[in-house]
Amino acid sequence: MVLGLLLYSISARDPRSPPGAFDGVQVALVVSVLLADAVALWAIAARITEFGFTPNRVAALGENVILLVNLAWSAVLYFRFLRGRGSFASLEKWQTDYLPVYGGWAAMVVILFPPLFRYS
């Protein structure tokens, strides 16, 4: 949900305008979801350790790792922008350049999981 809000707000914002209060709220949301994602990754890893690998667990693990990387670097870029040490365009470029990673993971799940987990 927060990633969707982040993508929407980035696309709707004028990249030339200075940082404002809403940008601070966005950073707070990104940091909070990073913490939630870390908890989710811990829970997924615990389930894999205890019960083994399943397609659903592996898919969730991969998606959460991808999300963690995306949001962590987004937070860094947003902090740089808020402190005047980076441009908003770099955050925009990061998000648009990273979107294919999600598509690549989805393709891997659809194409590689059936033979890996022996189901048809």
Side-chain angles (χ1 to χ4, degrees):
M1 178 73 100
V2 172
L3 180 61
L5 290 171
L6 180 66
L7 291 173
Y8 174 74
S9 68
I10 287 172
S11 69
R13 187 182 191 288
D14 180 8
R16 295 174 302 239
S17 51
F22 187 72
D23 294 308
V25 171
Q26 285 287 104
V27 170
L29 283 171
V30 169
V31 169
S32 65
V33 83
L34 275 170
L35 295 173
D37 193 46
V39 170
L41 279 169
W42 177 79
I44 293 166
R47 290 227 169 117
I48 289 173
T49 302
E50 188 172 346
F51 301 113
F53 290 97
T54 66
N56 193 35
R57 289 183 196 126
V58 174
L61 178 65
E63 180 63 28
N64 278 282
V65 167
I66 289 168
L67 182 64
L68 183 75
V69 170
N70 185 357
L71 291 174
W73 191 244
S74 295
V76 168
L77 293 173
Y78 230 136
F79 275 121
R80 286 181 186 170
F81 172 66
L82 288 176
R83 300 176 97 202
R85 295 184 177 173
S87 68
F88 190 78
S90 63
L91 177 61
E92 242 178 349
K93 182 168 175 19
W94 165 251
Q95 290 301 326
T96 56
D97 288 350
Y98 200 78
L99 284 175
V101 174
Y102 289 101
W105 179 248
M108 285 178 54
V109 169
V110 169
I111 295 167
L112 296 179
F113 275 35
L116 282 176
F117 291 98
R118 295 182 185 96
Y119 60 90
S120 51

